Amino acid sequence: MRSAEGARSSRADQADQRRAELLDAARRVVLERGLASTRVADIAKATNVSGGLIHYHFATKDDLITAMLRATSETEVRRLREIIAGPGTAVQRLDRVLRYYIPSSRSDQSWILWLDAWALGVREPHVREILLELEGGWIEILAEVISEGVQKGEFFCDDPMGAAERLDGMLDGLVVRYTLHSGAMSRKRLLEHARIAATHEVGIPRSAFPA
Amino acid sequence: MRSAEGARSSRADQADQRRAELLDAARRVVLERGLASTRVADIAKATNVSGGLIHYHFATKDDLITAMLRATSETEVRRLREIIAGPGTAVQRLDRVLRYYIPSSRSDQSWILWLDAWALGVREPHVREILLELEGGWIEILAEVISEGVQKGEFFCDDPMGAAERLDGMLDGLVVRYTLHSGAMSRKRLLEHARIAATHEVGIPRSAFPA
DNA sequence: CCACACTGGTTGGTTGACCAGTCAACCGTC
DNA sequence: GACGGTTGACTGGTCAACCAACCAGTGTGG
């Protein structure tokens, strides 16, 4: 008999839960120590688990890292989709996407993971594929929001896909700068850049965005 | 008596030459194998030199890598300065900068070095400092070209520094995409993006740039 | 202008630390 | 009692850094 709640359920569920726990620990450890100096043992310690168990659930270290990146990427795109599914005008929805893009505070270092992943992706096709999907998700969603704005007559843009690529690229580049040299650019200035570039791309006045 | 040319000169010169040779080999090896899997022995082999010699000229591996990044960064900024020192209208000079930014072919993988450096810079303040100088150089030069164009009446832009930051950011982001997934964006499209964004920023028509 | 001691560059072998992945044994649950 | 999950010691291999010894120029005093 299962204990009241389905929390302690079948073994398959237990294994899934452990897998998820390991992926989560892997993400935290990699964020903290960097991919290059993350050891399997570190992830084991962060989970209070033996080193051998890691290799029971994931054949190799690469498997673990790749699975962690894929899981993180998928979560990110899912949240992004939720964000644009909400209500509001096209400008409001676009602004929400821009704000979601930018780390919410200096201590939010989630982008570090993608810096590591870019470097890794150069050599590892599997990682590159994950990154391509993640970037594709961002661009697609930006293009959707812009296209909808154009249809509603809020925006003016004859190439939403191109505009989305340019916006996404600029945000990538600026967020790297913000993450690496937080002193060189404030979050406020970064958001202002994003909004100005957006006004250029969708043909609306700066005043259409919040101050 | 020195042998005719100053080629084989004093010991200090010999040491400088060897240092430069090692830095160059380090750059080539890191580009080929990636920072993470570059061994001191690899650089030694690429120079036909013993492993010990590396540690004679550079106390630690980190020293070597850092010096290599600094040298590469300085060379890049120097070349960029030469490029804008040349003749031409502001549009021509700006276009030259944009074209210099973008890898000239699929086989030009020089950006891989900076992807690795970004990831490394997260943990290593010395590396971060080099990156800050490099990015600062790019932005400064872009801002200069834009400002001159405004003075000459060619451009219209009330915040050249902001425009330069946005352009630089966009190019960083798009070049990463181009470098990582060369299939996802052609060089032609990348250059087109750069020119379109530039027209937005400096208030000129697309036709001002070459097709 | 010639020894000779000295310095700087170079070698190759060694060392000690570290780490991914393996394995045999153990435990709790169905 | 069988099997999925877990342990932790162990192995084979890798690597940065160190070191002792060597050699080629260089400068100095005779």
Side-chain angles (χ1 to χ4, degrees), chain A residues 29-38 112 116, chain B residues 123:
Chain A
V29 172
V30 170
L31 272 175
E32 190 177 331
R33 315 194 25 132
L35 250 181
S37 53
T38 292
I112 289 175
D116 269 326
Chain B
R123 321 277 157 195

Side-chain angles (χ1 to χ4, degrees), chain B residues 124-200:
Chain B
E124 299 283 343
H126 300 109
V127 173
R128 203 156 55 225
E129 198 185 325
I130 296 171
L131 291 169
L132 189 57
E133 284 169 22
L134 177 61
E135 292 167 32
W138 273 102
I139 292 173
E140 196 180 310
I141 283 169
L142 273 169
E144 273 177 36
V145 174
I146 294 174
S147 287
E148 285 177 21
V150 171
Q151 279 175 4
K152 287 196 203 163
E154 277 188 67
F155 294 159
F156 304 92
C157 171
D158 50 359
D159 179 14
M161 194 63 180
E165 282 181 359
R166 285 187 292 274
L167 265 179
D168 177 74
M170 192 197 72
L171 286 163
D172 274 3
L174 289 182
V175 169
V176 168
R177 192 167 164 78
Y178 175 65
T179 301
L180 235 42
H181 328 283
S182 53
M185 184 175 317
S186 65
R187 183 175 195 277
K188 197 178 164 189
R189 183 169 177 81
L190 176 43
L191 186 55
E192 181 66 12
H193 278 329
R195 284 168 170 165
I196 290 179
T199 61
H200 291 159

Side-chain angles (χ1 to χ4, degrees), chain A residues 21 23-34 46-47 68:
Chain A
E21 196 181 350
L23 290 176
D24 202 57
R27 213 192 69 252
R28 277 182 287 114
V29 172
V30 170
L31 272 175
E32 190 177 331
R33 315 194 25 132
T47 326
M68 179 271 284

Side-chain angles (χ1 to χ4, degrees), chain B residues 14-27:
Chain B
Q14 185 188 350
D16 282 355
Q17 188 178 331
R18 181 52 37 107
R19 262 182 76 96
E21 197 181 349
L22 291 177
L23 290 177
D24 202 57
R27 214 192 68 253

Side-chain angles (χ1 to χ4, degrees), chain B residues 101-116:
Chain B
Y101 214 116
I102 302 171
S104 52
S105 77
R106 188 164 302 187
S107 63
D108 174 2
Q109 297 286 301
S110 57
W111 268 81
I112 290 175
L113 188 61
W114 301 119
L115 291 189
D116 270 326

